[in-house]
Amino acid sequence: MEEVKLLGWWMSPFSRRVELALKLKGVGYEYIEQDLANKSQLLLEYNPVHKKVPVLVHNGKTMAESLVILEYIDETWPNNPILPRNPYEKAMARFWAQFIEEKCNGGLWKIMWCKDEEERGRLVEEASHCFRTLEGELKGNKFFGGDEIGMVDIAANFIGYWLGVVQEVSGMELVTRDKFPVLCKWMDEFVEHSVVKETLPPRDKLHAEFEARLGAPSWKY
Amino acid sequence: MSGGEVKLLGVLTSPYKFRVEVALKLKGIPYQYIEEDLSKKSPLLLQSNPIHNKIPVLIHNGKPISESLVILEYIEDTWKNNNSNPLLPIDPLARSTARFWIKFIEETILQTAAKSVKTKDRGDIERIIGQVGEQLKMLEKELVGSGEDYFGGERIGLLDIVAFAMAYWFDVIQEAMAVEDSLKLMTEDRVPELLKWMRKVMAVDVVVDSLPPRDKHIAYVRTRRMIST
């Protein structure tokens, strides 16, 4: 009756966000792993604009962009809400999800691929400031969503898990326990969450992939 | 929840402020507009948007909201039962499609276009404009495929507002910078259907009312670009 499919990639935090939301709501789905080096006809047909994962298919209708998909999931399966119902609080959640995407993840992405040492130093400084701002938003709560994880926590999944592996591989010391104790505590809670655990790619596999992709030892600093 | 005092902090020539103002007007929401001087940001602005210090900021019953797309969704969520048209479709799938294209404009089209002013290399500029041109065609295809007058259907919605702001500002900026014809984006030979749609949107009076006077806008763009070069 309700047919849900998810086109994803094991390593992508974006497709893992969608898996997390579906699992939190107990929505059954068929997962279809994609080979991004060799994009399938299905992927090209379902997401012709970006040719990226994730793509959610619900009763034959397709949608793309993980944060957009999260909103759809919350509207379609309202149990275990991931967004607050109050419009102001909802707006705040959307603000922080965007902040994470643009400033935190965006900042990290620039650092990861920056070859110039001086520029990288400046980018790390800038990113540090953003992480400090984000950390402040926890306000003594277990999760950004309060007692339970919500959209903002889901949006922060890269920070919650992938970042640790990236830092290990690269030697980058941006979000460390002594500099960001509160954010690191959130990271601990996040990865220990029973449902989140199911959506995390195996650490050793992730480590190996990042090592290969982020390049030679010259990248380490 | 939908009653109470609404203030909008903005700048006349900002497409982001335009987005919010059109939405407020379409919903018939009374608001106080406060023009900001970005060279001398007001205490209210700094206090209301401590993270980015940017406009637009909507302040509803003393509570501030920043980021124009977040504000647009807030307006739609809060003033649901007004007699004015809904700005997003009711159907969740159609909503996700609208949001997809809004994101496409914000993160793909606008970000690509921004690169064109960061280079002086003619080849690079041509290439970037070419990319934006292709992206605009994708957006145009979406409109034509729907068979409707507007992205929102029979009436303009959030996607129309965001798309129009992008298209109109491209047009003004390119005119102000005296960009040569072959590099102009909003033209008959590139996007004839989008131009038709733009004219329809311009016929909506709250849209025209929210635009800065064209000559003032052009003068502003010229001044800004001169200062930065």
Side-chain angles (χ1 to χ4, degrees):
Chain A
M1 189 169 267
E2 287 252 56
E3 206 197 38
V4 182
K5 294 185 195 185
L6 172 63
L7 275 65
W9 184 45
W10 71 275
M11 202 175 148
S12 161
F14 307 103
S15 75
R16 294 296 190 165
R17 283 171 175 170
V18 176
E19 277 189 84
L20 180 48
L22 290 169
K23 283 188 200 283
L24 283 167
K25 288 168 180 278
V27 177
Y29 61 96
E30 182 196 340
Y31 177 75
I32 309 172
E33 175 73 9
Q34 298 302 298
D35 175 359
L36 298 183
N38 228 325
K39 292 178 182 180
S40 69
Q41 263 314 108
L42 204 65
L43 179 60
L44 298 176
E45 189 191 312
Y46 284 173
N47 190 358
V49 173
H50 298 300
K51 308 178 175 66
K52 286 178 171 177
V53 294
V55 175
L56 189 75
V57 188
H58 184 207
N59 293 333
K61 308 282 178 161
T62 64
M63 61 204 86
E65 290 301 310
S66 63
L67 296 181
V68 172
I69 296 171
L70 292 186
E71 296 248 11
Y72 175 84
I73 289 172
D74 206 42
E75 284 171 16
T76 306
W77 295 280
N79 61 304
N80 297 356
I82 57 177
L83 273 171
R85 287 294 171 255
N86 170 276
Y88 187 77
E89 287 168 37
K90 204 183 229 190
M92 292 304 102
R94 286 177 174 140
F95 174 90
W96 287 105
Q98 194 183 315
F99 182 84
I100 285 163
E101 197 80 306
E102 200 180 307
K103 298 288 180 191
C104 302
N105 289 355
L108 286 173
W109 204 249
K110 284 186 209 161
I111 295 167
M112 281 161 71
W113 301 109
C114 179
K115 301 293 176 194
D116 178 69
E117 205 172 312
E118 200 184 310
E119 174 69 0
R120 206 162 49 216
R122 194 190 61 77
L123 290 171
V124 168
E125 180 70 44
E126 206 177 288
S128 219
H129 180 76
C130 294
F131 280 97
R132 185 67 62 206
T133 303
L134 181 65
E135 189 180 50
E137 189 49 24
L138 277 163
K139 298 180 179 149
N141 290 321
K142 192 174 177 193
F143 298 113
F144 291 102
D147 292 326
E148 251 310 324
I149 70 174
M151 167 94 130
V152 180
D153 301 272
I154 300 174
N157 69 341
F158 184 88
I159 299 166
Y161 181 72
W162 278 253
L163 178 57
V165 181
V166 168
Q167 292 192 147
E168 234 171 64
V169 168
S170 66
M172 161 175 39
E173 288 186 351
L174 177 53
V175 178
T176 59
R177 219 162 268 280
D178 50 276
K179 287 191 221 158
F180 294 94
V182 175
L183 191 58
C184 287
K185 180 162 179 294
W186 168 81
M187 284 158 71
D188 294 338
E189 297 283 4
F190 182 76
V191 301
E192 275 307 301
H193 187 284
S194 58
V195 183
V196 171
K197 262 190 204 172
E198 294 174 32
T199 68
L200 301 178
R203 205 180 173 93
D204 49 356
K205 214 178 162 191
L206 196 61
H207 188 109
E209 274 298 326
F210 271 124
E211 257 192 352
R213 282 157 193 273
L214 293 175
S218 63
W219 199 88
K220 288 195 193 192
Y221 60 97
Chain B
M1 192 173 282
S2 58
E5 198 191 42
V6 178
K7 291 187 189 169
L8 171 63
L9 308 184
V11 151
L12 183 63
T13 50
S14 160
Y16 306 102
K17 163 265 191 196
F18 167 83
R19 290 170 174 179
V20 175
E21 197 157 40
V22 174
L24 289 170
K25 288 186 167 143
L26 283 172
K27 294 268 190 191
I29 299 162
Y31 64 96
Q32 180 197 359
Y33 176 69
I34 301 168
E35 175 79 9
E36 283 285 332
D37 175 355
L38 298 183
S39 64
K40 222 170 68 185
K41 292 174 183 179
S42 72
L44 182 60
L45 173 56
L46 297 175
Q47 188 188 319
S48 309
N49 190 356
I51 292 167
H52 300 301
N53 294 155
K54 284 179 165 180
I55 59 94
V57 179
L58 191 79
I59 307 175
H60 183 204
N61 289 329
K63 290 169 150 181
I65 301 137
S66 313
E67 293 301 305
S68 62
L69 297 183
V70 174
I71 298 171
L72 291 181
E73 294 261 11
Y74 175 79
I75 290 171
E76 177 63 4
D77 284 338
T78 306
W79 287 274
K80 263 192 202 317
N81 301 313
N82 260 38
N83 291 330
S84 301
N85 48 305
L87 300 180
L88 277 176
I90 310 291
D91 168 58
L93 175 71
R95 286 160 86 85
S96 74
T97 303
R99 285 176 175 142
F100 172 88
W101 288 104
I102 287 171
K103 220 179 218 288
F104 182 74
I105 291 165
E106 188 81 332
E107 293 172 14
T108 302
I109 299 182
L110 291 176
Q111 290 212 20
T112 308
K115 292 183 193 167
S116 70
V117 303
K118 297 198 171 123
T119 174
K120 294 242 151 63
D121 180 272
R122 170 76 195 201
D124 281 347
I125 294 173
E126 273 176 15
R127 191 180 45 85
I128 293 165
I129 295 292
Q131 281 172 348
V132 179
E134 288 307 310
Q135 292 158 4
L136 286 171
K137 284 202 175 73
M138 288 186 203
L139 186 65
E140 185 181 56
K141 192 173 166 199
E142 178 66 14
L143 179 67
V144 172
S146 76
E148 302 270 23
D149 277 346
Y150 305 106
F151 288 101
E154 287 171 19
R155 303 164 88 163
I156 68 172
L158 291 190
L159 175 52
D160 295 274
I161 296 172
V162 172
F164 180 84
M166 168 210 69
Y168 182 86
W169 257 256
F170 276 171
D171 189 52
V172 168
I173 290 169
Q174 289 199 309
E175 186 185 316
M177 299 309 295
V179 164
E180 56 189 271
D181 287 348
S182 66
L183 295 176
K184 283 216 166 104
L185 289 166
M186 303 309 304
T187 61
E188 273 310 320
D189 51 79
R190 281 190 202 262
V191 283
E193 297 300 320
L194 278 187
L195 287 187
K196 265 192 214 150
W197 159 82
M198 271 183 90
R199 277 174 231 130
K200 286 182 199 162
V201 177
M202 286 282 280
V204 176
D205 45 13
V206 303
V207 168
V208 173
D209 290 345
S210 309
L211 288 171
R214 202 175 171 100
D215 49 355
K216 218 172 168 183
H217 192 177
I218 289 177
Y220 168 78
V221 173
R222 288 190 178 141
T223 314
R224 259 201 84 188
R225 296 300 163 101
M226 268 166 58
I227 289 169
S228 66
T229 52

